[in-house]
Amino acid sequence: MFSTFGGLAALLAAIGVYAVLAFSVVQRRRELALRGSLGASAGSLSRLVLGEGLRLAALGIALGLLAALALSLLLSHFLFQVKAGDLASFAEASLVLFAIAVIACSLAAWRAARIRPLEALNAEG
């Protein structure tokens, strides 16, 4: 049961990260189109969006680790046969969440790389 809820939470996290980045790409469509029309390659646009998303994901994971450590130390008397600061669990959860963020950011970056400058600049904002 815990695995099912954990998998569902990971799926919701992936959808949320992708939705935020996809919305950011839509909001910045004219900017990205202008960059593309001035000579930026699709790869550089993709790296721009991917880097921005992964920086936000890393910041979120770092803040989440700090909060989890503080809460686990606070609730340590409720834990049985588990250390309050179980580094293996924290590391595994962080790696899984970062992998999810990489996949979600890659999809948004791929979408940003496909923006056609002429169509985006001619579209009404």
Side-chain angles (χ1 to χ4, degrees):
M1 188 162 87
F2 287 125
S3 296
T4 302
F5 286 130
L8 185 60
L11 178 66
L12 287 174
I15 292 170
V17 169
Y18 172 73
V20 167
L21 283 173
F23 182 72
S24 173
V25 167
V26 168
Q27 291 259 314
R28 296 174 60 190
R29 184 176 176 161
R30 292 180 68 90
E31 174 203 343
L32 294 171
L34 185 61
R35 286 177 186 260
S37 66
L38 291 175
S41 67
S44 67
L45 293 176
S46 180
R47 280 190 301 277
L48 177 73
V49 173
L50 186 64
E52 180 179 296
L54 291 181
R55 273 192 303 274
L56 289 174
L59 178 64
I61 289 171
L63 291 175
L65 280 174
L66 290 174
L69 183 60
L71 288 175
S72 68
L73 293 175
L74 182 67
L75 299 173
S76 63
H77 62 280
F78 292 115
L79 300 175
F80 301 104
Q81 299 177 349
V82 178
K83 295 186 309 185
D86 187 23
L87 293 179
S89 297
F90 287 159
E92 289 174 15
S94 297
L95 288 175
V96 167
L97 287 174
F98 194 73
I100 288 171
V102 166
I103 293 168
C105 291
S106 296
L107 291 173
W110 176 73
R111 187 173 178 183
R114 290 185 39 219
I115 292 175
R116 293 188 177 144
L118 188 58
E119 290 176 11
L121 291 173
N122 284 335
E124 289 187 34

PDB file of all heavy atoms in Angstrom, residues 50-81:
ATOM      1  N   LEU A  50      16.137  23.604 -19.633  1.00  0.00           N
ATOM      2  CA  LEU A  50      16.532  22.472 -18.801  1.00  0.00           C
ATOM      3  C   LEU A  50      17.334  22.939 -17.587  1.00  0.00           C
ATOM      4  O   LEU A  50      17.093  22.498 -16.462  1.00  0.00           O
ATOM      5  CB  LEU A  50      17.348  21.476 -19.625  1.00  0.00           C
ATOM      6  CG  LEU A  50      17.738  20.166 -18.965  1.00  0.00           C
ATOM      7  CD1 LEU A  50      16.513  19.351 -18.640  1.00  0.00           C
ATOM      8  CD2 LEU A  50      18.662  19.380 -19.871  1.00  0.00           C
ATOM      9  N   GLY A  51      18.274  23.849 -17.804  1.00  0.00           N
ATOM     10  CA  GLY A  51      19.075  24.357 -16.699  1.00  0.00           C
ATOM     11  C   GLY A  51      18.246  25.096 -15.672  1.00  0.00           C
ATOM     12  O   GLY A  51      18.432  24.934 -14.457  1.00  0.00           O
ATOM     13  N   GLU A  52      17.303  25.902 -16.151  1.00  0.00           N
ATOM     14  CA  GLU A  52      16.429  26.637 -15.238  1.00  0.00           C
ATOM     15  C   GLU A  52      15.584  25.676 -14.399  1.00  0.00           C
ATOM     16  O   GLU A  52      15.453  25.838 -13.188  1.00  0.00           O
ATOM     17  CB  GLU A  52      15.526  27.563 -16.048  1.00  0.00           C
ATOM     18  CG  GLU A  52      14.574  28.381 -15.221  1.00  0.00           C
ATOM     19  CD  GLU A  52      13.732  29.275 -16.106  1.00  0.00           C
ATOM     20  OE1 GLU A  52      14.312  30.154 -16.765  1.00  0.00           O
ATOM     21  OE2 GLU A  52      12.510  29.072 -16.146  1.00  0.00           O
ATOM     22  N   GLY A  53      15.031  24.677 -15.047  1.00  0.00           N
ATOM     23  CA  GLY A  53      14.201  23.716 -14.333  1.00  0.00           C
ATOM     24  C   GLY A  53      14.988  22.887 -13.332  1.00  0.00           C
ATOM     25  O   GLY A  53      14.526  22.633 -12.214  1.00  0.00           O
ATOM     26  N   LEU A  54      16.182  22.464 -13.719  1.00  0.00           N
ATOM     27  CA  LEU A  54      16.985  21.637 -12.813  1.00  0.00           C
ATOM     28  C   LEU A  54      17.528  22.443 -11.637  1.00  0.00           C
ATOM     29  O   LEU A  54      17.692  21.906 -10.544  1.00  0.00           O
ATOM     30  CB  LEU A  54      18.112  20.950 -13.580  1.00  0.00           C
ATOM     31  CG  LEU A  54      17.648  19.875 -14.556  1.00  0.00           C
ATOM     32  CD1 LEU A  54      18.837  19.229 -15.244  1.00  0.00           C
ATOM     33  CD2 LEU A  54      16.804  18.828 -13.853  1.00  0.00           C
ATOM     34  N   ARG A  55      17.795  23.735 -11.851  1.00  0.00           N
ATOM     35  CA  ARG A  55      18.201  24.580 -10.717  1.00  0.00           C
ATOM     36  C   ARG A  55      17.076  24.683  -9.705  1.00  0.00           C
ATOM     37  O   ARG A  55      17.294  24.578  -8.494  1.00  0.00           O
ATOM     38  CB  ARG A  55      18.602  25.975 -11.195  1.00  0.00           C
ATOM     39  CG  ARG A  55      20.049  26.088 -11.600  1.00  0.00           C
ATOM     40  CD  ARG A  55      20.474  27.532 -11.776  1.00  0.00           C
ATOM     41  NE  ARG A  55      19.672  28.270 -12.741  1.00  0.00           N
ATOM     42  CZ  ARG A  55      19.897  28.282 -14.044  1.00  0.00           C
ATOM     43  NH1 ARG A  55      20.889  27.589 -14.552  1.00  0.00           N
ATOM     44  NH2 ARG A  55      19.123  28.993 -14.847  1.00  0.00           N
ATOM     45  N   LEU A  56      15.856  24.881 -10.190  1.00  0.00           N
ATOM     46  CA  LEU A  56      14.704  24.941  -9.286  1.00  0.00           C
ATOM     47  C   LEU A  56      14.473  23.606  -8.587  1.00  0.00           C
ATOM     48  O   LEU A  56      14.142  23.566  -7.397  1.00  0.00           O
ATOM     49  CB  LEU A  56      13.449  25.357 -10.056  1.00  0.00           C
ATOM     50  CG  LEU A  56      13.398  26.797 -10.527  1.00  0.00           C
ATOM     51  CD1 LEU A  56      12.176  27.032 -11.397  1.00  0.00           C
ATOM     52  CD2 LEU A  56      13.396  27.738  -9.346  1.00  0.00           C
ATOM     53  N   ALA A  57      14.648  22.513  -9.309  1.00  0.00           N
ATOM     54  CA  ALA A  57      14.471  21.185  -8.713  1.00  0.00           C
ATOM     55  C   ALA A  57      15.524  20.927  -7.634  1.00  0.00           C
ATOM     56  O   ALA A  57      15.210  20.402  -6.564  1.00  0.00           O
ATOM     57  CB  ALA A  57      14.536  20.105  -9.788  1.00  0.00           C
ATOM     58  N   ALA A  58      16.772  21.301  -7.911  1.00  0.00           N
ATOM     59  CA  ALA A  58      17.836  21.110  -6.921  1.00  0.00           C
ATOM     60  C   ALA A  58      17.581  21.944  -5.676  1.00  0.00           C
ATOM     61  O   ALA A  58      17.785  21.469  -4.546  1.00  0.00           O
ATOM     62  CB  ALA A  58      19.192  21.456  -7.532  1.00  0.00           C
ATOM     63  N   LEU A  59      17.112  23.170  -5.856  1.00  0.00           N
ATOM     64  CA  LEU A  59      16.787  24.014  -4.711  1.00  0.00           C
ATOM     65  C   LEU A  59      15.640  23.403  -3.901  1.00  0.00           C
ATOM     66  O   LEU A  59      15.693  23.359  -2.670  1.00  0.00           O
ATOM     67  CB  LEU A  59      16.419  25.421  -5.184  1.00  0.00           C
ATOM     68  CG  LEU A  59      16.011  26.408  -4.102  1.00  0.00           C
ATOM     69  CD1 LEU A  59      17.168  26.676  -3.156  1.00  0.00           C
ATOM     70  CD2 LEU A  59      15.506  27.688  -4.715  1.00  0.00           C
ATOM     71  N   GLY A  60      14.624  22.921  -4.586  1.00  0.00           N
ATOM     72  CA  GLY A  60      13.499  22.284  -3.900  1.00  0.00           C
ATOM     73  C   GLY A  60      13.905  21.029  -3.153  1.00  0.00           C
ATOM     74  O   GLY A  60      13.450  20.784  -2.031  1.00  0.00           O
ATOM     75  N   ILE A  61      14.771  20.233  -3.750  1.00  0.00           N
ATOM     76  CA  ILE A  61      15.237  19.014  -3.085  1.00  0.00           C
ATOM     77  C   ILE A  61      16.079  19.365  -1.863  1.00  0.00           C
ATOM     78  O   ILE A  61      15.945  18.748  -0.807  1.00  0.00           O
ATOM     79  CB  ILE A  61      16.005  18.119  -4.078  1.00  0.00           C
ATOM     80  CG1 ILE A  61      15.020  17.505  -5.074  1.00  0.00           C
ATOM     81  CG2 ILE A  61      16.781  17.032  -3.354  1.00  0.00           C
ATOM     82  CD1 ILE A  61      15.669  16.775  -6.223  1.00  0.00           C
ATOM     83  N   ALA A  62      16.937  20.380  -1.989  1.00  0.00           N
ATOM     84  CA  ALA A  62      17.768  20.788  -0.847  1.00  0.00           C
ATOM     85  C   ALA A  62      16.909  21.296   0.309  1.00  0.00           C
ATOM     86  O   ALA A  62      17.127  20.913   1.471  1.00  0.00           O
ATOM     87  CB  ALA A  62      18.769  21.851  -1.282  1.00  0.00           C
ATOM     88  N   LEU A  63      15.934  22.141  -0.001  1.00  0.00           N
ATOM     89  CA  LEU A  63      15.045  22.636   1.053  1.00  0.00           C
ATOM     90  C   LEU A  63      14.210  21.501   1.644  1.00  0.00           C
ATOM     91  O   LEU A  63      13.970  21.460   2.849  1.00  0.00           O
ATOM     92  CB  LEU A  63      14.139  23.739   0.508  1.00  0.00           C
ATOM     93  CG  LEU A  63      14.834  25.047   0.146  1.00  0.00           C
ATOM     94  CD1 LEU A  63      13.853  26.018  -0.494  1.00  0.00           C
ATOM     95  CD2 LEU A  63      15.490  25.668   1.358  1.00  0.00           C
ATOM     96  N   GLY A  64      13.773  20.593   0.800  1.00  0.00           N
ATOM     97  CA  GLY A  64      13.015  19.440   1.293  1.00  0.00           C
ATOM     98  C   GLY A  64      13.843  18.533   2.182  1.00  0.00           C
ATOM     99  O   GLY A  64      13.348  17.997   3.184  1.00  0.00           O
ATOM    100  N   LEU A  65      15.118  18.348   1.849  1.00  0.00           N
ATOM    101  CA  LEU A  65      16.007  17.550   2.697  1.00  0.00           C
ATOM    102  C   LEU A  65      16.196  18.188   4.064  1.00  0.00           C
ATOM    103  O   LEU A  65      16.181  17.496   5.093  1.00  0.00           O
ATOM    104  CB  LEU A  65      17.361  17.347   2.021  1.00  0.00           C
ATOM    105  CG  LEU A  65      17.437  16.271   0.964  1.00  0.00           C
ATOM    106  CD1 LEU A  65      18.797  16.295   0.275  1.00  0.00           C
ATOM    107  CD2 LEU A  65      17.182  14.914   1.573  1.00  0.00           C
ATOM    108  N   LEU A  66      16.368  19.500   4.069  1.00  0.00           N
ATOM    109  CA  LEU A  66      16.514  20.192   5.352  1.00  0.00           C
ATOM    110  C   LEU A  66      15.254  20.062   6.200  1.00  0.00           C
ATOM    111  O   LEU A  66      15.321  19.801   7.406  1.00  0.00           O
ATOM    112  CB  LEU A  66      16.854  21.666   5.124  1.00  0.00           C
ATOM    113  CG  LEU A  66      18.237  21.965   4.575  1.00  0.00           C
ATOM    114  CD1 LEU A  66      18.374  23.448   4.272  1.00  0.00           C
ATOM    115  CD2 LEU A  66      19.306  21.506   5.545  1.00  0.00           C
ATOM    116  N   ALA A  67      14.105  20.235   5.579  1.00  0.00           N
ATOM    117  CA  ALA A  67      12.840  20.098   6.308  1.00  0.00           C
ATOM    118  C   ALA A  67      12.624  18.668   6.782  1.00  0.00           C
ATOM    119  O   ALA A  67      12.176  18.442   7.917  1.00  0.00           O
ATOM    120  CB  ALA A  67      11.679  20.549   5.427  1.00  0.00           C
ATOM    121  N   ALA A  68      12.953  17.691   5.944  1.00  0.00           N
ATOM    122  CA  ALA A  68      12.781  16.287   6.337  1.00  0.00           C
ATOM    123  C   ALA A  68      13.701  15.922   7.491  1.00  0.00           C
ATOM    124  O   ALA A  68      13.303  15.197   8.408  1.00  0.00           O
ATOM    125  CB  ALA A  68      13.049  15.378   5.139  1.00  0.00           C
ATOM    126  N   LEU A  69      14.932  16.410   7.455  1.00  0.00           N
ATOM    127  CA  LEU A  69      15.858  16.133   8.550  1.00  0.00           C
ATOM    128  C   LEU A  69      15.369  16.756   9.842  1.00  0.00           C
ATOM    129  O   LEU A  69      15.379  16.110  10.895  1.00  0.00           O
ATOM    130  CB  LEU A  69      17.260  16.648   8.205  1.00  0.00           C
ATOM    131  CG  LEU A  69      18.348  16.355   9.223  1.00  0.00           C
ATOM    132  CD1 LEU A  69      18.504  14.848   9.418  1.00  0.00           C
ATOM    133  CD2 LEU A  69      19.658  16.973   8.797  1.00  0.00           C
ATOM    134  N   ALA A  70      14.909  18.000   9.767  1.00  0.00           N
ATOM    135  CA  ALA A  70      14.400  18.668  10.971  1.00  0.00           C
ATOM    136  C   ALA A  70      13.175  17.944  11.524  1.00  0.00           C
ATOM    137  O   ALA A  70      13.067  17.720  12.739  1.00  0.00           O
ATOM    138  CB  ALA A  70      14.070  20.122  10.662  1.00  0.00           C
ATOM    139  N   LEU A  71      12.266  17.552  10.648  1.00  0.00           N
ATOM    140  CA  LEU A  71      11.057  16.855  11.113  1.00  0.00           C
ATOM    141  C   LEU A  71      11.364  15.456  11.627  1.00  0.00           C
ATOM    142  O   LEU A  71      10.742  14.995  12.583  1.00  0.00           O
ATOM    143  CB  LEU A  71      10.018  16.810  10.005  1.00  0.00           C
ATOM    144  CG  LEU A  71       9.330  18.125   9.686  1.00  0.00           C
ATOM    145  CD1 LEU A  71       8.417  17.979   8.482  1.00  0.00           C
ATOM    146  CD2 LEU A  71       8.541  18.619  10.886  1.00  0.00           C
ATOM    147  N   SER A  72      12.309  14.776  11.002  1.00  0.00           N
ATOM    148  CA  SER A  72      12.639  13.429  11.473  1.00  0.00           C
ATOM    149  C   SER A  72      13.315  13.490  12.837  1.00  0.00           C
ATOM    150  O   SER A  72      13.093  12.612  13.678  1.00  0.00           O
ATOM    151  CB  SER A  72      13.524  12.700  10.469  1.00  0.00           C
ATOM    152  OG  SER A  72      14.799  13.295  10.402  1.00  0.00           O
ATOM    153  N   LEU A  73      14.120  14.504  13.086  1.00  0.00           N
ATOM    154  CA  LEU A  73      14.712  14.652  14.416  1.00  0.00           C
ATOM    155  C   LEU A  73      13.653  15.025  15.437  1.00  0.00           C
ATOM    156  O   LEU A  73      13.700  14.581  16.590  1.00  0.00           O
ATOM    157  CB  LEU A  73      15.819  15.701  14.380  1.00  0.00           C
ATOM    158  CG  LEU A  73      17.061  15.339  13.576  1.00  0.00           C
ATOM    159  CD1 LEU A  73      18.031  16.510  13.525  1.00  0.00           C
ATOM    160  CD2 LEU A  73      17.734  14.104  14.158  1.00  0.00           C
ATOM    161  N   LEU A  74      12.691  15.815  15.024  1.00  0.00           N
ATOM    162  CA  LEU A  74      11.601  16.202  15.918  1.00  0.00           C
ATOM    163  C   LEU A  74      10.718  15.004  16.271  1.00  0.00           C
ATOM    164  O   LEU A  74      10.265  14.858  17.409  1.00  0.00           O
ATOM    165  CB  LEU A  74      10.767  17.301  15.264  1.00  0.00           C
ATOM    166  CG  LEU A  74       9.604  17.865  16.058  1.00  0.00           C
ATOM    167  CD1 LEU A  74      10.132  18.616  17.276  1.00  0.00           C
ATOM    168  CD2 LEU A  74       8.768  18.781  15.189  1.00  0.00           C
ATOM    169  N   LEU A  75      10.502  14.131  15.315  1.00  0.00           N
ATOM    170  CA  LEU A  75       9.619  12.976  15.518  1.00  0.00           C
ATOM    171  C   LEU A  75      10.382  11.678  15.793  1.00  0.00           C
ATOM    172  O   LEU A  75       9.827  10.601  15.638  1.00  0.00           O
ATOM    173  CB  LEU A  75       8.731  12.787  14.289  1.00  0.00           C
ATOM    174  CG  LEU A  75       7.800  13.945  13.959  1.00  0.00           C
ATOM    175  CD1 LEU A  75       7.108  13.701  12.633  1.00  0.00           C
ATOM    176  CD2 LEU A  75       6.786  14.137  15.069  1.00  0.00           C
ATOM    177  N   SER A  76      11.618  11.777  16.218  1.00  0.00           N
ATOM    178  CA  SER A  76      12.463  10.590  16.375  1.00  0.00           C
ATOM    179  C   SER A  76      11.936   9.614  17.425  1.00  0.00           C
ATOM    180  O   SER A  76      12.181   8.411  17.324  1.00  0.00           O
ATOM    181  CB  SER A  76      13.892  10.997  16.720  1.00  0.00           C
ATOM    182  OG  SER A  76      13.920  11.672  17.955  1.00  0.00           O
ATOM    183  N   HIS A  77      11.209  10.065  18.388  1.00  0.00           N
ATOM    184  CA  HIS A  77      10.704   9.136  19.409  1.00  0.00           C
ATOM    185  C   HIS A  77       9.541   8.282  18.901  1.00  0.00           C
ATOM    186  O   HIS A  77       9.148   7.324  19.546  1.00  0.00           O
ATOM    187  CB  HIS A  77      10.319   9.892  20.687  1.00  0.00           C
ATOM    188  CG  HIS A  77       9.224  10.886  20.515  1.00  0.00           C
ATOM    189  ND1 HIS A  77       9.455  12.132  19.995  1.00  0.00           N
ATOM    190  CD2 HIS A  77       7.906  10.818  20.789  1.00  0.00           C
ATOM    191  CE1 HIS A  77       8.310  12.796  19.970  1.00  0.00           C
ATOM    192  NE2 HIS A  77       7.356  12.020  20.437  1.00  0.00           N
ATOM    193  N   PHE A  78       8.989   8.591  17.713  1.00  0.00           N
ATOM    194  CA  PHE A  78       7.945   7.757  17.124  1.00  0.00           C
ATOM    195  C   PHE A  78       8.503   6.701  16.173  1.00  0.00           C
ATOM    196  O   PHE A  78       7.765   5.831  15.725  1.00  0.00           O
ATOM    197  CB  PHE A  78       6.931   8.617  16.352  1.00  0.00           C
ATOM    198  CG  PHE A  78       6.100   9.503  17.217  1.00  0.00           C
ATOM    199  CD1 PHE A  78       6.212  10.874  17.129  1.00  0.00           C
ATOM    200  CD2 PHE A  78       5.205   8.962  18.122  1.00  0.00           C
ATOM    201  CE1 PHE A  78       5.445  11.699  17.921  1.00  0.00           C
ATOM    202  CE2 PHE A  78       4.429   9.777  18.921  1.00  0.00           C
ATOM    203  CZ  PHE A  78       4.546  11.151  18.831  1.00  0.00           C
ATOM    204  N   LEU A  79       9.781   6.777  15.858  1.00  0.00           N
ATOM    205  CA  LEU A  79      10.396   5.856  14.909  1.00  0.00           C
ATOM    206  C   LEU A  79      10.929   4.630  15.633  1.00  0.00           C
ATOM    207  O   LEU A  79      11.576   4.738  16.668  1.00  0.00           O
ATOM    208  CB  LEU A  79      11.542   6.548  14.162  1.00  0.00           C
ATOM    209  CG  LEU A  79      11.163   7.778  13.344  1.00  0.00           C
ATOM    210  CD1 LEU A  79      12.408   8.422  12.780  1.00  0.00           C
ATOM    211  CD2 LEU A  79      10.204   7.404  12.250  1.00  0.00           C
ATOM    212  N   PHE A  80      10.663   3.465  15.094  1.00  0.00           N
ATOM    213  CA  PHE A  80      11.128   2.217  15.683  1.00  0.00           C
ATOM    214  C   PHE A  80      12.069   1.528  14.709  1.00  0.00           C
ATOM    215  O   PHE A  80      11.725   1.327  13.551  1.00  0.00           O
ATOM    216  CB  PHE A  80       9.950   1.294  16.015  1.00  0.00           C
ATOM    217  CG  PHE A  80       8.978   1.912  16.969  1.00  0.00           C
ATOM    218  CD1 PHE A  80       7.773   2.398  16.523  1.00  0.00           C
ATOM    219  CD2 PHE A  80       9.297   2.040  18.314  1.00  0.00           C
ATOM    220  CE1 PHE A  80       6.876   2.973  17.391  1.00  0.00           C
ATOM    221  CE2 PHE A  80       8.409   2.618  19.196  1.00  0.00           C
ATOM    222  CZ  PHE A  80       7.185   3.087  18.733  1.00  0.00           C
ATOM    223  N   GLN A  81      13.253   1.167  15.159  1.00  0.00           N
ATOM    224  CA  GLN A  81      14.280   0.469  14.398  1.00  0.00           C
ATOM    225  C   GLN A  81      14.750   1.247  13.164  1.00  0.00           C
ATOM    226  O   GLN A  81      15.210   0.673  12.202  1.00  0.00           O
ATOM    227  CB  GLN A  81      13.799  -0.923  13.985  1.00  0.00           C
ATOM    228  CG  GLN A  81      13.477  -1.810  15.160  1.00  0.00           C
ATOM    229  CD  GLN A  81      12.939  -3.160  14.722  1.00  0.00           C
ATOM    230  OE1 GLN A  81      12.628  -3.348  13.555  1.00  0.00           O
ATOM    231  NE2 GLN A  81      12.834  -4.074  15.655  1.00  0.00           N
TER     232      GLN A  81
END
